[in-house]
Amino acid sequence: DADVTQTPRNRITKTGKRIMLECSQTKGHDRMYWYRQDPGLGLRLIYYSFDVKDINKGEISDGYSVSRQAQAKFSLSLESAIPNQTALYFCATSPRTGELFFGEGSRLTVL
Amino acid sequence: ILNVEQSPQSLHVQEGDSTNFTCSFPSSNFYALHWYRWETAKSPEALFVMTLNGDEKKKGRISATLNTKEGYSYLYIKGSQPEDSATYLCAFDSGGGADGLTFGKGTHLIIQP
């Protein structure tokens, strides 16, 4: 089993729908991140959390929200999905100052 | 927004040849430089995390150097093999991860048999 698990792996939805992407980890890391990948662009940071009570906006947080339900769980929500949120989304974890460990990715298509 | 540039964007290399590519990043507020390897349909995986100017790291046929004063890092692959085909990402850390990492767009490497 993967150390960082994302669900769903693929999702097609319609404009205006609410979508939640979930991430859980078994690595025991405090730090968790949500990144977005678009063709031709680098991974861009949406939100990150260093603890259960800690939420921080990244470079492109508009249109997204997150919830850190437990040390092991970090969810990303799109309250009202729009087509330009079609992308590959990655959850990642890290120890305090170390490398990132990525989930398998969630491919979201908004029609 | 921090500027992290990788070049070239894509690279075709003959099997057995050696190759290298570049990551440039801001020379101020440096904490660490990460290299990741991202194979198609898989997750990015860390190759190196580099923190010291002049640092050189090696993993098998892959090595990396770091110049924090001028703001660049090189990744070298010696004797390329088909399994080296992947996108190689660098990421700049300005604060010990306090603000997340800023990624470059990657170098897409294709090894031709």
Side-chain angles (χ1 to χ4, degrees), chain A residues 51-71:
Chain A
D51 201 345
V52 173
K53 297 180 181 178
D54 178 70
I55 299 291
N56 303 283
K57 292 183 177 181
E59 180 188 347
I60 54 165
S61 60
D62 287 349
Y64 301 94
S65 63
V66 290
S67 173
R68 184 80 184 267
Q69 303 96 319
Q71 189 213 30

Side-chain angles (χ1 to χ4, degrees), chain B residues 68-82:
Chain B
T68 61
K69 293 184 179 179
E70 296 182 39
Y72 65 84
S73 175
Y74 291 130
L75 190 80
Y76 299 90
I77 302 178
K78 185 177 178 182
S80 303
Q81 299 298 309

